[in-house]
Amino acid sequence: MDKPNLNYIVIGSPKCGTTSFCDLLGQHPEVFMTNPKEPGFFSQGRFLKTLDWDWYSSLFTGVKDEKAIGEGTVNYTCCEYRRLADPEIIYNYYPNAKLIYMVRNPIERIQSEWLSCAIMGKSYNLGEFNKAIYSFPGFINTSRYWSNINRFRRFFSDQQIHVVFFEDFIKEPQLEMTKVFHFLNVDSNYEVKDAYTPKNQSIKNYIDSPLMVQVRQLKGFKNLKSLIPEFLRPYLIPILKKKNTGHPDWQSETLDWVINELKYDTLSFLEWCDKPGDFWKF
């Protein structure tokens, strides 16, 4: 099967509103967005000798006469070893592709990503929030927007890259979508419906208590869970879970260290985007 006629990719970032953004993007009659929106295809190229073009092309069988054809895998700029895409692979196959990079306050993005992992029960691998920040550099590195976009700028011109700021998107979604439609050379007068609906929110859920973090590490945890009688479970929730406030408990020294780590990168990125240096408040 031939490779699809892809001409745009939403490359990131995680926890920056990309699910809502891609939903609005896919509303446009001249825009095709894959389902699922995050195939992660170009992350595979770093581990597989040959890419599965038959599978990837199958995601585009619904294309009709759309002008903008693409996908949205935010993990292409997620700095975990098994997720990060190789921009050269994308360029080799699609040198004229347009890239859309969605970003938000770097500190808030880190918080949101950790909370998302904690809600999914991954905290047993990560540990307490401040410990995880030091132990897993992907949290910080994914927020190094300048470093991440420069990986792509080695191959793609600045004219092929459009940045969407989450803060601008939630404030004036129609305006930001109009800019994106213009960038993709589709009808920029199209008005999106249900302009912005938050997706994949973490605020409404519980996260593991420190005790639950330890319990999850027990051998046979999944089997143990099924043995707990239903009538006991409501009594265990206050012990094993705690309400998610939406803000992890930063230690001041950890926050200062992260801000110092991101300061130069963030200022350079904002300057490149013609944004004031204080656009994001740390």
PDB file of all heavy atoms in Angstrom, residues 245-256:
ATOM      1  N   THR A 245      -6.162  17.877  44.070  1.00  0.00           N
ATOM      2  CA  THR A 245      -6.430  19.314  44.106  1.00  0.00           C
ATOM      3  C   THR A 245      -6.084  20.003  42.792  1.00  0.00           C
ATOM      4  O   THR A 245      -6.407  21.164  42.584  1.00  0.00           O
ATOM      5  CB  THR A 245      -5.613  19.990  45.221  1.00  0.00           C
ATOM      6  OG1 THR A 245      -4.217  19.856  44.934  1.00  0.00           O
ATOM      7  CG2 THR A 245      -5.919  19.359  46.569  1.00  0.00           C
ATOM      8  N   GLY A 246      -5.405  19.275  41.905  1.00  0.00           N
ATOM      9  CA  GLY A 246      -4.985  19.869  40.639  1.00  0.00           C
ATOM     10  C   GLY A 246      -3.615  20.508  40.706  1.00  0.00           C
ATOM     11  O   GLY A 246      -3.093  20.970  39.702  1.00  0.00           O
ATOM     12  N   HIS A 247      -3.027  20.515  41.905  1.00  0.00           N
ATOM     13  CA  HIS A 247      -1.702  21.119  42.071  1.00  0.00           C
ATOM     14  C   HIS A 247      -0.855  20.232  42.967  1.00  0.00           C
ATOM     15  O   HIS A 247      -1.132  20.136  44.168  1.00  0.00           O
ATOM     16  CB  HIS A 247      -1.808  22.522  42.686  1.00  0.00           C
ATOM     17  CG  HIS A 247      -2.547  23.490  41.828  1.00  0.00           C
ATOM     18  ND1 HIS A 247      -1.982  24.109  40.741  1.00  0.00           N
ATOM     19  CD2 HIS A 247      -3.830  23.933  41.893  1.00  0.00           C
ATOM     20  CE1 HIS A 247      -2.867  24.902  40.173  1.00  0.00           C
ATOM     21  NE2 HIS A 247      -4.000  24.816  40.837  1.00  0.00           N
ATOM     22  N   PRO A 248       0.161  19.574  42.416  1.00  0.00           N
ATOM     23  CA  PRO A 248       1.062  18.785  43.259  1.00  0.00           C
ATOM     24  C   PRO A 248       1.742  19.685  44.283  1.00  0.00           C
ATOM     25  O   PRO A 248       1.825  20.903  44.111  1.00  0.00           O
ATOM     26  CB  PRO A 248       2.082  18.221  42.254  1.00  0.00           C
ATOM     27  CG  PRO A 248       1.434  18.339  40.925  1.00  0.00           C
ATOM     28  CD  PRO A 248       0.547  19.537  40.997  1.00  0.00           C
ATOM     29  N   ASP A 249       2.223  19.067  45.336  1.00  0.00           N
ATOM     30  CA  ASP A 249       2.875  19.823  46.417  1.00  0.00           C
ATOM     31  C   ASP A 249       4.354  20.044  46.087  1.00  0.00           C
ATOM     32  O   ASP A 249       5.203  19.191  46.358  1.00  0.00           O
ATOM     33  CB  ASP A 249       2.724  19.075  47.744  1.00  0.00           C
ATOM     34  CG  ASP A 249       1.273  18.913  48.145  1.00  0.00           C
ATOM     35  OD1 ASP A 249       0.488  19.842  47.903  1.00  0.00           O
ATOM     36  OD2 ASP A 249       0.928  17.842  48.693  1.00  0.00           O
ATOM     37  N   TRP A 250       4.630  21.196  45.491  1.00  0.00           N
ATOM     38  CA  TRP A 250       6.004  21.538  45.163  1.00  0.00           C
ATOM     39  C   TRP A 250       6.797  21.830  46.441  1.00  0.00           C
ATOM     40  O   TRP A 250       6.330  22.565  47.318  1.00  0.00           O
ATOM     41  CB  TRP A 250       6.061  22.785  44.288  1.00  0.00           C
ATOM     42  CG  TRP A 250       5.696  22.611  42.858  1.00  0.00           C
ATOM     43  CD1 TRP A 250       4.481  22.835  42.293  1.00  0.00           C
ATOM     44  CD2 TRP A 250       6.567  22.220  41.784  1.00  0.00           C
ATOM     45  NE1 TRP A 250       4.529  22.594  40.937  1.00  0.00           N
ATOM     46  CE2 TRP A 250       5.794  22.223  40.597  1.00  0.00           C
ATOM     47  CE3 TRP A 250       7.912  21.865  41.712  1.00  0.00           C
ATOM     48  CZ2 TRP A 250       6.328  21.892  39.354  1.00  0.00           C
ATOM     49  CZ3 TRP A 250       8.448  21.533  40.475  1.00  0.00           C
ATOM     50  CH2 TRP A 250       7.659  21.540  39.315  1.00  0.00           C
ATOM     51  N   GLN A 251       7.999  21.316  46.528  1.00  0.00           N
ATOM     52  CA  GLN A 251       8.954  21.800  47.516  1.00  0.00           C
ATOM     53  C   GLN A 251       9.657  22.998  46.893  1.00  0.00           C
ATOM     54  O   GLN A 251       9.962  22.992  45.695  1.00  0.00           O
ATOM     55  CB  GLN A 251       9.958  20.712  47.877  1.00  0.00           C
ATOM     56  CG  GLN A 251       9.343  19.530  48.611  1.00  0.00           C
ATOM     57  CD  GLN A 251      10.325  18.409  48.867  1.00  0.00           C
ATOM     58  OE1 GLN A 251      11.482  18.471  48.428  1.00  0.00           O
ATOM     59  NE2 GLN A 251       9.877  17.366  49.559  1.00  0.00           N
ATOM     60  N   SER A 252       9.889  24.021  47.660  1.00  0.00           N
ATOM     61  CA  SER A 252      10.419  25.274  47.115  1.00  0.00           C
ATOM     62  C   SER A 252      11.742  25.062  46.387  1.00  0.00           C
ATOM     63  O   SER A 252      11.978  25.650  45.324  1.00  0.00           O
ATOM     64  CB  SER A 252      10.587  26.315  48.227  1.00  0.00           C
ATOM     65  OG  SER A 252      11.455  25.825  49.245  1.00  0.00           O
ATOM     66  N   GLU A 253      12.603  24.194  46.932  1.00  0.00           N
ATOM     67  CA  GLU A 253      13.899  23.972  46.285  1.00  0.00           C
ATOM     68  C   GLU A 253      13.733  23.240  44.951  1.00  0.00           C
ATOM     69  O   GLU A 253      14.497  23.483  44.006  1.00  0.00           O
ATOM     70  CB  GLU A 253      14.855  23.207  47.202  1.00  0.00           C
ATOM     71  CG  GLU A 253      14.355  21.859  47.679  1.00  0.00           C
ATOM     72  CD  GLU A 253      13.622  21.935  49.004  1.00  0.00           C
ATOM     73  OE1 GLU A 253      13.014  22.994  49.287  1.00  0.00           O
ATOM     74  OE2 GLU A 253      13.663  20.942  49.754  1.00  0.00           O
ATOM     75  N   THR A 254      12.727  22.358  44.879  1.00  0.00           N
ATOM     76  CA  THR A 254      12.462  21.655  43.624  1.00  0.00           C
ATOM     77  C   THR A 254      11.958  22.627  42.570  1.00  0.00           C
ATOM     78  O   THR A 254      12.428  22.617  41.422  1.00  0.00           O
ATOM     79  CB  THR A 254      11.410  20.547  43.822  1.00  0.00           C
ATOM     80  OG1 THR A 254      11.853  19.652  44.838  1.00  0.00           O
ATOM     81  CG2 THR A 254      11.202  19.761  42.528  1.00  0.00           C
ATOM     82  N   LEU A 255      11.012  23.476  42.944  1.00  0.00           N
ATOM     83  CA  LEU A 255      10.474  24.447  42.002  1.00  0.00           C
ATOM     84  C   LEU A 255      11.547  25.401  41.525  1.00  0.00           C
ATOM     85  O   LEU A 255      11.641  25.703  40.327  1.00  0.00           O
ATOM     86  CB  LEU A 255       9.321  25.224  42.654  1.00  0.00           C
ATOM     87  CG  LEU A 255       8.633  26.271  41.782  1.00  0.00           C
ATOM     88  CD1 LEU A 255       8.069  25.643  40.511  1.00  0.00           C
ATOM     89  CD2 LEU A 255       7.527  26.974  42.561  1.00  0.00           C
ATOM     90  N   ASP A 256      12.378  25.875  42.421  1.00  0.00           N
ATOM     91  CA  ASP A 256      13.472  26.784  42.038  1.00  0.00           C
ATOM     92  C   ASP A 256      14.420  26.104  41.062  1.00  0.00           C
ATOM     93  O   ASP A 256      14.887  26.724  40.089  1.00  0.00           O
ATOM     94  CB  ASP A 256      14.246  27.241  43.281  1.00  0.00           C
ATOM     95  CG  ASP A 256      13.449  28.192  44.154  1.00  0.00           C
ATOM     96  OD1 ASP A 256      12.445  28.756  43.654  1.00  0.00           O
ATOM     97  OD2 ASP A 256      13.827  28.377  45.329  1.00  0.00           O
TER      98      ASP A 256
END
